[in-house]
Amino acid sequence: TQFWATFLIAIVLVAIKKWEPGDNLDAIWYSAVSKNVYETGDFNHFFLSRHWHTTVSDHMPLTYWITGAVFMLFGPSDFVARLYPIICGILSYLFVYFIGREIKGRHFGLCSILALALAYGFSKWNGSLMQDVPLVTYFLGTAYFFIAGLRKPKMFLAAAPFFVAGVMTKGPIIGAIPLAIFIWSLWQRDFSFLKKPAFYGGVALTF
């Protein structure tokens, strides 16, 4: 089916560059902090080493929590450090497909994936242990479930956990999504979602 073909394309696009050696300095920093979470079992205190940067508070904790927990499950390694962002990268491609499908159909969804793959910054870092990789996934997840909620209002509820995960990944920057929704609705002159109780249920779940 077209979905499974899309899923396979997403896996290939994420995997293509993930086996080359080396990574970004930020990714090394995040993996080191996550490894300390694994070694100490402390999910509340983040640090780079016991003698240098003994307290790290540069980002919200979700990436450290998830990567540290994955280390506990599978042990620390280069691949395991990339596992969470690899999954996020695959989900990002799938959400782009779903958004395209909601807007204009399946073929448009596939074209959207190919367009995204041509974006150098996205394809280069997608699947690397960077805060922006899961953030993009949570942006897209929130956007998809909002758009799907216009047709099936219960889908508004599913947008809430993605929005919260975005906040827990990189703070209030994901607030750009409500702003984008307002601008889009203003341009379309369509605020009909405000009449749907499920929308307010989704908003309530974010608190």
Side-chain angles (χ1 to χ4, degrees), residues 13 116 123:
L13 288 172
L116 184 61
S123 60

Side-chain angles (χ1 to χ4, degrees), residues 33 36-38 40-47 54-57 59 61 64-65 72 168:
V33 173
N36 289 332
V37 171
Y38 154 74
T40 63
D42 188 347
F43 283 79
N44 296 311
H45 177 224
F46 307 119
F47 64 96
T54 54
T55 298
V56 170
S57 56
H59 286 295
Y64 299 140
W65 286 345
M72 289 180 177
M168 294 302 292

Side-chain angles (χ1 to χ4, degrees), residues 28-88:
I28 296 169
W29 176 289
Y30 303 145
S31 61
V33 173
S34 299
K35 186 178 179 183
N36 289 332
V37 171
Y38 154 74
E39 290 180 341
T40 63
D42 188 347
F43 283 79
N44 296 311
H45 177 224
F46 307 119
F47 64 96
L48 196 61
S49 82
R50 299 189 184 279
H51 308 288
W52 187 64
H53 285 290
T54 54
T55 298
V56 170
S57 56
D58 56 337
H59 286 295
M60 299 293 279
L62 187 60
T63 296
Y64 299 140
W65 286 345
I66 292 177
T67 308
V70 173
F71 281 159
M72 289 180 177
L73 287 173
F74 303 110
S77 71
D78 183 72
F79 173 73
V80 173
R82 296 170 188 246
L83 189 57
Y84 170 52
I86 284 175
I87 292 171
C88 286

Side-chain angles (χ1 to χ4, degrees), residues 101-146:
R101 188 182 66 180
E102 284 290 326
I103 293 173
K104 216 163 187 178
R106 294 179 178 179
H107 289 93
F108 186 77
L110 286 173
C111 289
S112 299
I113 285 183
L114 296 177
L116 184 61
L118 292 175
Y120 175 76
F122 184 85
S123 60
K124 177 175 175 59
W125 298 117
N126 199 17
S128 297
L129 187 58
M130 305 279 286
Q131 300 282 350
D132 296 332
V133 174
L135 180 65
V136 168
T137 303
Y138 300 136
F139 260 113
L140 292 170
T142 305
Y144 166 67
F145 285 112
F146 173 80

